[in-house]
Amino acid sequence: MSFETLRAYEQTNAVCKPFLDKPSTGFALDAHIKFLESSLKPFPAPYTVLDASKTWIIYWELVSLALLGRLTDDVKEQAVHTLATFRGPNGGFTNGLGHKEHILTTYAAVLSICLCNNSEAYDLIDKKRLLDWLMSLRNADGSFRVHDEGECDSRASYAAVCIAYLVDGVNYPHLFDGTLDWLLQCQTYEGGFAGNPGTEAHGGYTFCSLAAISVLNGSSRVRRIPLARWLTQRQDAILGGLSGRTNKLVDGCYSWWVGASVNLFALEANSDSDTRPLIKSEKLQEYIYQCCQPATGGLRDKPPKPADLYHTCYCLLGLSSIAHNYRLVDNRVHAQNSSSPRYDDYPSLQPAHPVCCVPVNDAESMITHFSSLQC
Ligand code: FPP
């Protein structure tokens, strides 16, 4: 570890420790709802830097409200109205005027449509054109580009798999030829997965790879022991929070990227000894409660940073992932409340689908709706 890394690590511990030593605050449900409601109003001018993330902002807002059981028909109607203006010429989605269709923008739009869970929203998707467009982004080795001339990494492959899983059950001929082999090459010597073969393992890319590999039925080909070790090493022994990679700092968002990877690992376990928890979920919950909930509501990376919609979304998804147990029945995900009494203070948090990053019920409704539509 370099001197600079060690100093950043020690500073983080020094800032977080007093928050962990305070009496537990519990889950600040009302403050989070207020934060999310205030985020429905027009944003101030400095937010123009997020112009290329408009679809993501809609998704982060909708999924946070949905997990808390507060997504209203009125908000869904506004979202559908806006997303209708983001439909691109080839079946994908853009961020509005002047923006190209992009696979990650399309992923955020499709998940937002899924969260709206009604026919007006579903009608925004032209299934055949969307799948044809995904096919146009496929590289010869089975990986995907983020747009026609864009970069290629495991986020793009995951987005393609997740979109296809929701609208087509990954049945489109040859769309994922080679994708599983390419994703398996992203597992590194450390055990986690990188964005591309030969680069550094990271929690975000590990989630993307494991989720896509799970849908493509390739989990038995993952090297499980190094993966288990790497996932376990993501939990900071002192703070309880999770980091995204070796020698880096804890961040609330990895409660989902790494936490969901742990759930995907357990989902594919084939023996009891294989399902021993890889992280201490009560310690993670304590990190989120004590360090990621500023008094203003919303959730954050770590103190003293402010809350934002990205961290609110992935901290809530992370809390949901530790509040539920998941199992596969006939290749469909089923969730049940975790037996731990510690989770009783947020009983209304919906179970999140470990692949699709939306409540399980919304993913299931969308899959059922689109499976009855011909391509
Ligand atoms: C490092 O940031 C972040 C990355 C290398 C990418 C992370 C990838 C994801 C979060 C997954 C995204 C998934 C989809 C579906 C778009 P950093 O260096 O600021 O953070 P770190 O110090 O924690 O590594």
Side-chain angles (χ1 to χ4, degrees):
M1 200 189 271
S2 71
F3 178 66
E4 202 181 323
T5 305
L6 187 60
R7 196 168 53 185
Y9 180 76
E10 283 178 346
Q11 268 171 3
T12 300
N13 278 4
V15 171
C16 290
K17 254 327 234 116
F19 284 85
L20 286 167
D21 291 341
K22 283 186 192 160
S24 178
T25 48
F27 184 59
L29 176 66
D30 292 343
H32 299 324
I33 292 169
K34 264 196 196 140
F35 173 84
L36 289 166
E37 284 174 355
S38 71
S39 308
L40 289 167
K41 299 190 185 120
F43 289 147
Y47 276 80
T48 47
V49 292
L50 290 179
D51 189 54
S53 302
K54 290 198 289 277
T55 323
W56 278 101
I57 293 172
I58 295 172
Y59 162 68
W60 296 329
E61 174 79 30
L62 295 190
V63 74
S64 302
L65 289 169
L67 287 167
L68 297 173
R70 302 300 172 112
L71 181 53
T72 61
D73 287 344
D74 194 36
V75 173
K76 288 181 184 182
E77 203 180 310
Q78 287 180 52
V80 170
H81 180 77
T82 306
L83 290 165
T85 68
F86 290 172
R87 274 180 299 183
N90 301 304
F93 285 80
T94 72
N95 276 298
L97 205 59
H99 292 274
K100 281 179 100 126
E101 287 158 304
H102 189 293
I103 206 166
L104 300 179
T105 304
T106 303
Y107 164 84
V110 168
L111 295 194
S112 301
I113 287 168
C114 177
L115 287 156
C116 290
N117 197 339
N118 60 41
S119 52
E120 289 77 29
Y122 294 155
D123 287 349
L124 296 178
I125 292 176
D126 181 333
K127 177 170 164 176
K128 172 154 176 26
R129 290 177 69 235
L130 174 59
L131 291 165
D132 287 345
W133 177 68
L134 289 181
M135 188 67 175
S136 77
L137 298 179
R138 184 181 167 277
N139 296 319
D141 61 2
S143 62
F144 283 79
R145 300 183 299 288
V146 294
H147 58 77
D148 50 4
E149 291 170 331
E151 74 269 24
C152 152
D153 60 39
S154 53
R155 294 171 314 162
S157 296
Y158 159 68
V161 169
C162 181
I163 295 166
Y165 175 66
L166 285 167
V167 305
D168 184 49
V170 294
N171 288 318
Y172 189 99
H174 308 299
L175 181 55
F176 296 113
D177 286 1
T179 307
L180 178 57
D181 288 331
W182 186 84
L183 286 165
L184 289 164
Q185 284 174 44
C186 294
Q187 188 169 18
T188 77
Y189 69 94
E190 287 191 285
F193 286 72
N196 275 281
T199 60
E200 185 186 9
H202 191 281
Y205 297 128
T206 298
F207 167 78
C208 290
S209 304
L210 289 179
I213 288 170
S214 164
V215 172
L216 299 175
N217 288 323
S219 300
S220 62
R221 294 176 58 196
V222 168
R223 290 183 289 113
R224 287 179 67 81
I225 292 173
L227 172 63
R229 191 172 48 226
W230 185 85
L231 288 169
T232 300
Q233 286 167 348
R234 301 283 53 78
Q235 187 158 38
D236 186 273
I238 298 169
L239 303 177
L242 305 177
S243 68
R245 47 184 163 149
T246 305
N247 287 339
K248 296 293 306 246
L249 305 176
V250 293
D251 178 332
C253 74
Y254 298 125
S255 310
W256 174 254
W257 300 120
V258 175
S261 299
V262 168
N263 280 348
L264 286 164
F265 181 92
L267 203 57
E268 307 288 348
N270 45 23
S271 75
D272 280 353
S273 63
D274 217 11
T275 60
R276 264 196 307 261
L278 300 180
I279 57 168
K280 294 190 173 97
S281 44
E282 291 194 3
K283 293 280 288 176
L284 173 59
Q285 179 191 275
E286 206 174 308
Y287 173 75
I288 300 172
Y289 277 14
Q290 300 294 103
C291 296
C292 300
Q293 298 192 105
T296 49
L299 293 109
R300 64 182 168 195
D301 162 353
K302 62 173 84 55
K305 297 191 178 177
D308 61 64
L309 282 174
Y310 167 85
H311 286 92
T312 300
C313 156
Y314 291 108
C315 287
L316 290 177
L317 280 169
L319 279 175
S320 169
S321 77
I322 54 177
H324 298 96
N325 292 323
Y326 298 87
R327 65 202 162 85
L328 278 179
V329 181
D330 298 333
N331 237 7
R332 303 291 274 261
V333 170
H334 289 251
Q336 61 195 68
N337 283 348
S338 155
S339 54
S340 168
R342 292 265 308 176
Y343 305 121
D344 282 355
D345 49 344
Y346 50 90
S348 61
L349 209 49
Q350 296 292 310
H353 192 289
V355 167
C356 303
C357 308
V358 293
V360 173
N361 288 345
D362 292 321
E364 288 299 325
S365 300
M366 189 167 195
I367 291 166
T368 304
H369 173 86
F370 278 94
S371 63
S372 64
L373 295 185
Q374 290 303 312
C375 222

